[in-house]
Amino acid sequence: MTTDHYCVMGHPVAHSRSPWIHGRFAELTGQQLHYDKREIPLDHFDRSVRAFIADGGLGCNVTVPFKFEAAKMATQTSERGLLAQACNVLTFKSGQILGDNTDGIGLVDDIERNAGLSLKGLRLLLIGAGGAAAGVLGPLLQAGPAHISVANRTLHKATELVARHKALAAQHNTELQAHTLHGFEAPFDVIINGTATSLSGASVPVAARALKPGALAYDMMYGPGAQGFMDWATAHGAVPRDGLGMLVEQAAEAFLIWRGVRPPSGQVLAELRKVISG
């Protein structure tokens, strides 16, 4: 009997907790599968995916920096994947490559369910306009905030991302604007760091004036890389949160797509935080 095979592909990917998460999901739901991580050379993503399919792989998670390439490979793409123009989940079925993006629903679920903060009616600042930000903007709008500012180093990228989401923003009565990193009107109830500054150890890309007292300051990264942003948030009277819950929740959505079963993500997040804290 062969075991269903899944993986995460990225560069770098050694730090990934996804194999542990999906392994625990499988244990708790009685699913039989194998999940591993694969470090892919920067110019080998397409051939690596096709080799995995040829070996019988059924699906993969996609992380930095291949989400845009994954979207281009997909032969069918979900509505949220099309809106993001980036995919973090690929499913291989009947000769097709099905693309989806579960990052945004993972972020919203972590904020609203795990952190207990409803986004409805709030003012949000989303920092960045790359693949990470593109993946979450749609579900953030669907949560019904009053306002979202997308701030990016280069204004044109933020403007393009906002333009793509204008209709969805209007549908949910959310004011949506594009800004440079210093051009927005502060302060905000929630700021979300969707840039690579945490990965590179760079300083926080916006001024502390962005934060309302007691605001939620969320870094989409997790682990040591997110610590600088979280320390900055704490020092300026905000509530810090890393992206570990987002990681678990987006994985739960991927698991549901692949296996048709929703795993107990809250339990797995609590267990994972204990594992990490040692």
Side-chain angles (χ1 to χ4, degrees):
M1 176 177 160
T2 58
T3 301
D4 293 345
H5 194 182
Y6 303 87
C7 73
V8 58
M9 294 186 181
H11 185 100
V13 81
H15 66 286
S16 176
R17 298 284 181 170
S18 292
W20 187 94
I21 293 168
H22 282 276
R24 193 70 183 112
F25 285 167
E27 290 173 359
L28 292 170
T29 59
Q31 296 287 305
Q32 299 297 315
L33 60 86
H34 175 73
Y35 187 110
D36 59 27
K37 52 190 173 186
R38 298 186 173 204
E39 179 116 1
I40 307 301
L42 293 177
D43 58 349
H44 281 59
F45 180 71
D46 187 290
R47 73 183 73 174
S48 297
V49 170
R50 297 191 189 283
F52 185 62
I53 295 171
D55 286 342
L58 297 183
C60 71
N61 288 124
V62 182
T63 187
V64 174
F66 299 122
K67 294 181 184 182
F68 291 121
E69 288 185 62
K72 291 175 182 176
M73 280 195 75
T75 56
Q76 294 181 36
T77 309
S78 70
E79 184 177 341
R80 55 194 178 189
L82 288 171
L83 198 56
Q85 294 183 3
C87 292
N88 73 320
V89 179
L90 295 178
T91 305
F92 314 125
K93 189 174 183 180
S94 303
Q96 300 293 311
I97 300 176
L98 313 179
D100 205 341
N101 195 308
T102 65
D103 282 334
I105 193 64
L107 172 65
V108 171
D109 282 351
D110 186 46
I111 291 174
E112 295 202 322
R113 189 163 61 222
N114 300 328
L117 177 65
S118 172
L119 295 173
K120 191 169 183 62
L122 300 187
R123 282 177 50 83
L124 276 60
L125 173 63
L126 177 60
I127 310 168
V136 302
L137 183 53
L140 285 172
L141 286 166
Q142 290 169 334
H147 174 97
I148 299 180
S149 283
V150 178
N152 193 59
R153 183 174 55 84
T154 53
L155 180 59
H156 77 92
K157 284 190 70 176
T159 301
E160 288 174 358
L161 184 59
V162 163
R164 202 158 72 236
H165 288 77
K166 275 292 188 184
L168 185 61
Q171 182 182 335
H172 291 276
N173 298 312
T174 300
E175 183 181 37
L176 180 61
Q177 297 178 347
H179 301 279
T180 65
L181 291 174
H182 307 290
F184 51 79
E185 293 182 16
F188 296 90
D189 302 293
V190 179
I191 73 169
I192 299 165
N193 185 19
T195 72
T197 53
S198 296
L199 277 177
S200 63
S203 60
V204 175
V206 297
R209 68 181 179 86
L211 296 162
K212 275 186 181 177
L216 175 66
Y218 195 108
D219 197 315
M220 288 167 61
M221 298 304 299
Y222 62 94
Q227 197 58 50
F229 180 87
M230 294 176 69
D231 290 345
W232 170 82
T234 301
H236 293 95
V239 177
R241 188 172 182 87
D242 68 8
L244 193 67
M246 174 182 171
L247 176 72
V248 173
E249 294 295 349
Q250 65 80 25
E253 188 76 7
F255 194 89
L256 175 63
I257 291 168
W258 291 334
R259 311 301 295 184
V261 178
R262 178 168 290 283
S265 53
Q267 175 185 341
V268 172
L269 175 58
E271 292 176 355
L272 182 56
R273 287 207 183 274
K274 288 182 181 179
V275 168
I276 289 175
S277 64

